[in-house]
Amino acid sequence: MIYLIFFLSIIIHELGHIISCNILHIKFGRVNFGIFGFSNREVRFSNLNKSQKIFILASGSFFNFILAIISVKLPFSFNDKICFTNLLLAMFNLLPIIPLDGGNILICILNYKFSIKKSIKISLIISKIFLVILSFAYCILILFLKNLFLLGIIVYLWYLYLKEESKFELYFRIENKFKILSKI
């Protein structure tokens, strides 16, 4: 039952992103299904301002929070599992780790003060710090919980982070080469 609740909660999360895109009249592409849920890389953020980006990114977790609140009033015997799963999913997605929604929100917030390049670099550092803290916490929790699912999530987060980090490094290298070429 918990896996069904988790799966449906992820669908609700992505539905929040889709609805916010529709509110802003943004064409929404297809949703990709991955190991730990869905992703929607098709949304084009380049034409949006920072507030619109934050609105879209935060909407998934907002929908999870709303479902958690509603589930408290449901007459089901498993409403506590629905509430807990949605609260956990919402808070997890708001962690300032790239490429989670929270990591991308952090980039947008930092971009109010810094350039996008500096915002990304700061966000990558903060993401790495949070991943190290999560990894350390898991090492302690494994003694009590004996849950390998958490290990899978942390390993997957490291994989996604390293993939994003290499993508940004490539982007910055290409950008620097174009700056050098334009000076010639």
Side-chain angles (χ1 to χ4, degrees), residues 3-5 15 18 32 41 61 73 95-96 99 103 105 107 110 116 118 126 132 157 161-162 173:
Y3 294 112
L4 178 63
I5 292 170
L15 187 63
I18 292 168
N32 299 321
R41 292 283 191 199
S61 292
K73 301 292 183 189
L95 287 175
I105 290 170
I107 292 171
L110 289 171
I116 189 65
K118 187 167 186 172
I126 292 171
V132 167
L157 277 176
Y161 166 79
L162 292 171
R173 262 189 263 131

Side-chain angles (χ1 to χ4, degrees), residues 74-80 82:
L74 294 175
F76 303 129
S77 62
F78 50 86
N79 61 348
D80 57 332
I82 295 171

